[in-house]
Amino acid sequence: MQFRRQSSEPVQVNMTPLIDVVFLLLIFFMVTTSFPDQQLNLQLPTASSSEPRETQRDSIFNLALFADGRIQLDDQEISDADALKEYLQTLLEEHTDPAILIRAEQEAPHQRLVMALDIARQLGIQQLRIATRPPH
């Protein structure tokens, strides 16, 4: 007696449910992810005549002077005065009238603030502000 061999169907994996699950996981992670706020945590000095900041301009740059002597210009770490001058020079080439908001900590060396103001004046930057916080 001769038995006929049954033809076996090729094994297939249905990818549709897997794609659905991966897509739902992707949406879940995109919705639940929170991005850290990248504001600087500086202890600004107080001033009784401080005013709230005006509307945001598109070419305003934050120069942070830390108590330990570090300098940071818009998330870019600056090593010394020459590097700050070069960086501000490139900003002047890209933007016609940049504004700089200087945020110096209370304990920041006074020389760093004077140096930043001096470099800005040498380059002809007119829009300079020093950030303070109102008294409590």
Side-chain angles (χ1 to χ4, degrees):
M1 183 176 231
Q2 193 173 13
F3 290 106
R4 210 166 179 202
R5 263 195 135 140
Q6 293 182 355
S7 63
S8 63
E9 291 184 25
V11 177
Q12 294 179 352
V13 177
N14 190 357
M15 297 293 287
T16 306
L18 180 66
I19 292 172
D20 289 344
V21 169
V22 170
F23 184 67
L24 287 173
L25 284 173
L26 178 68
I27 290 174
F28 172 76
F29 287 124
M30 285 175 36
V31 170
T32 60
T33 301
S34 63
F35 295 100
D37 193 13
Q38 296 194 1
Q39 290 184 345
L40 297 175
N41 189 12
L42 297 174
Q43 295 296 325
L44 297 175
T46 60
S48 60
S49 64
S50 66
E51 298 175 4
R53 188 168 42 175
E54 295 177 8
T55 58
Q56 280 291 94
R57 294 177 42 171
D58 58 341
S59 61
I60 190 165
F61 302 96
N62 291 308
L63 177 64
L65 305 173
F66 294 93
D68 59 2
R70 291 182 298 129
I71 302 172
Q72 190 175 359
L73 183 61
D74 280 344
D75 300 331
Q76 178 74 30
E77 198 74 29
I78 306 293
S79 58
D80 59 355
D82 293 332
L84 178 63
K85 191 171 187 175
E86 289 175 17
Y87 198 83
L88 288 176
Q89 187 68 40
T90 58
L91 286 179
L92 280 173
E93 293 170 1
E94 296 171 3
H95 304 281
T96 56
D97 188 25
I100 296 179
L101 177 64
I102 299 175
R103 307 180 81 197
E105 285 189 307
Q106 284 177 305
E107 294 83 22
H110 185 70
Q111 178 59 37
R112 292 286 185 177
L113 178 61
V114 171
M115 176 216 38
L117 292 172
D118 187 40
I119 289 173
R121 184 173 183 172
Q122 288 174 6
L123 295 175
I125 298 173
Q126 300 293 322
Q127 302 290 327
L128 289 172
R129 290 183 180 237
I130 298 176
T132 59
R133 59 186 165 103
H136 298 292

